[in-house]
């Protein structure tokens, strides 16, 4: 059976930066309080003329350029997002149109919130293995600031906007390992985007307890499915939710030789964009050797999770 691999990455963030000092002028908070609890210094905020598909379009263009491909080389577009306000055309169709895809690509959005990108990457891998696609564009894009309650100091300090993209193509030597995915449906209320207009809310302590107690074993199982020992990992890219979650989780996995992505410090929680954006930056800076094993592990909304080990492009 033909496998698949990630051949190129790209990311995009809006120009506007929101600092902790900016937030302190809006709600009862301060830089020390934010850094000590979530580890975030800055986050990027998209303007009214930068909807989700615009963020995704820019990241996708960079990934295609990195792969040396044209939009017409893509036959599957997947966009992971939970902040698309419009229902149709979906974000994948809008990105395909913005890119000027002249073929007839399949276009799908996936809403698995913070683990959306790793779900989408697995979906692309499965489609390619099944022979339904040859090249896929997989994008995580979210405009979290548009659904943020700016009066709630426990959540408004977290959110940021951005997009990350990967080009995935068929290959004989698989570069994307088996996915481990699942959820805890009875705890779906712990992370919510509800209402009209929709607003992001979460039960922070419930999420923190679940991630720090349950996820290390799941992440190690991802490595086991890929036939990789945690100490062999060159990098660990977890959903960039909170530095207080990322650092203990990476340590408990046992990836003692791995570079750990900490993009949350500069970008905040960008939901489905966080993993591809953090990975793209590590690759751009040359911090991961080509072909080295990298653990991707998304978790969050729905208390869902998905992870796989990939080979660095």
């Amino acid at each position: 059976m033909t496998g698949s691999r990630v051949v190129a990455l790209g990311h995009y963030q809006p120009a506007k930066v929101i600092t902790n000092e900016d937030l302190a002028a809006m709600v009862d908070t301060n830089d020390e309080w934010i850094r000590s609890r979530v580890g975030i210094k800055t986050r990027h905020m998209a303007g009214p003329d930068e909807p989700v598909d615009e963020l995704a379009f820019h990241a996708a263009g960079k990934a295609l350029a990195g792969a040396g491909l044209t939009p017409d080389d893509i036959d599957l577009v997947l966009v992971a997002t939970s902040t698309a306000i419009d229902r149709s055309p979906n974000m994948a169709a809008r990105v395909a149109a913005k890119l000027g895809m002249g073929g007839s690509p399949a276009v799908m959005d996936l809403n698995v919130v913070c683990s959306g990108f790793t779900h989408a990457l697995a979906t692309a891998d499965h489609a390619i293995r099944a022979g339904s696609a040859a090249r896929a564009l997989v994008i995580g894009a979210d405009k979290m600031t548009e659904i943020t309650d700016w009066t709630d100091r426990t959540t408004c300090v977290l959110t940021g906007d951005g997009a990350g993209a990967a080009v995935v193509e068929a290959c004989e030597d698989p570069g994307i390992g088996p996915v481990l995915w699942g959820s805890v449906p009875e705890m779906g209320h712990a992370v919510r985007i509800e209402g009209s207009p929709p607003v992001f809310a979460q039960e922070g302590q419930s999420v923190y307890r679940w991630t720090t107690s349950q996820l290390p074993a799941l992440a190690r199982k991802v490595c086991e499915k890929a036939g990789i020992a945690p100490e062999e990992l060159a990098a660990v890219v977890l959903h960039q939710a909170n530095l207080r979650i990322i650092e203990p989780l990476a340590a408990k996995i046992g990836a003692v030789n791995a570079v750990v992505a900490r993009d949350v410090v500069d970008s905040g929680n960008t939901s489905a964009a966080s993993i591809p954006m953090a990975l793209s930056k590590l690759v751009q800076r040359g911090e991961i050797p080509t072909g080295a094993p990298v653990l991707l592990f998304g978790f969050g909304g729905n208390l869902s999770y998905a992870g796989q080990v990939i080979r660095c492009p």
Side-chain angles (χ1 to χ4, degrees):
M1 179 184 293
T2 300
S4 75
R5 63 182 181 129
V6 175
V7 295
L9 298 155
H11 65 274
Y12 175 79
Q13 291 177 279
K16 184 176 181 179
V17 175
I18 304 296
T19 67
N20 290 344
E21 288 74 19
D22 293 330
L23 291 174
M26 299 165 55
V27 293
D28 181 18
T29 191
N30 58 65
D31 180 64
E32 190 280 330
W33 189 92
I34 297 170
R35 290 204 200 196
S36 65
R37 284 161 176 78
V38 297
I40 298 171
K41 294 192 299 183
T42 59
R43 66 287 291 151
H44 291 246
M45 184 178 189
D49 59 341
E50 294 178 294
V52 171
D53 56 300
E54 183 74 10
L55 304 178
F57 161 72
H58 287 295
K62 291 180 179 181
L64 285 171
L69 299 174
T70 70
D72 290 350
D73 294 320
I74 301 297
D75 53 12
L76 172 62
V77 182
L78 300 173
V79 176
T81 186
S82 57
T83 55
I85 304 302
D86 297 328
R87 305 294 179 89
S88 181
N90 66 15
M91 295 300 100
R94 292 185 180 191
V95 170
K98 282 178 178 288
L99 289 169
M101 289 187 175
S104 54
V107 289
M108 291 182 280
D109 287 1
L110 291 85
N111 178 2
V112 206
V113 201
C114 306
S115 60
F117 179 79
T118 43
H119 275 84
L121 186 62
T123 301
D125 176 55
H126 296 165
I128 290 172
R129 287 174 179 269
S132 300
R135 286 196 182 98
L137 187 56
V138 183
I139 308 166
D142 270 307
K143 189 176 180 179
M144 292 295 293
T145 63
E146 193 166 52
I147 59 167
T148 295
D149 178 355
W150 295 103
T151 67
D152 179 3
R153 74 170 189 165
T154 65
T155 56
C156 76
V157 302
L158 297 171
T159 56
D161 304 332
V167 174
V168 180
E169 68 177 17
C171 66
E172 291 302 320
D173 183 18
I176 298 178
V179 67
L180 174 73
W181 52 15
S183 66
V184 187
E186 65 272 20
M187 290 183 66
H189 56 81
V191 181
R192 306 180 303 281
I193 301 174
E194 295 177 327
S196 182
V199 176
F200 164 58
Q202 69 173 8
E203 299 168 13
Q205 286 304 310
S206 296
V207 174
Y208 181 80
R209 286 193 295 269
W210 175 68
T211 54
T212 55
S213 64
Q214 302 301 313
L215 296 192
L218 294 171
R220 288 194 294 271
K221 191 171 181 180
V222 173
C223 296
E224 182 182 332
K225 288 172 73 72
I228 295 288
E231 57 269 23
E232 295 178 85
L233 293 169
V236 172
V237 184
L238 308 174
H239 165 50
Q240 302 292 291
N242 179 329
L243 200 60
R244 289 181 59 215
I245 292 174
I246 293 167
E247 291 182 331
L249 180 52
K252 290 178 181 178
I253 292 170
V256 294
N257 300 311
V259 173
V260 177
R262 293 179 172 85
D263 188 50
V264 67
V265 174
D266 301 311
S267 302
N269 182 340
T270 56
S271 193
S274 77
I275 287 178
M277 201 158 65
L279 177 61
S280 178
K281 291 179 183 181
L282 288 177
V283 171
Q284 186 179 72
R285 293 194 297 262
E287 296 188 37
I288 314 172
T290 299
V294 179
L295 171 66
L296 309 182
F297 196 85
F299 55 85
N302 318 300
L303 288 203
S304 59
Y305 56 87
Q308 59 270 101
V309 174
I310 72 164
R311 293 288 171 176
C312 181

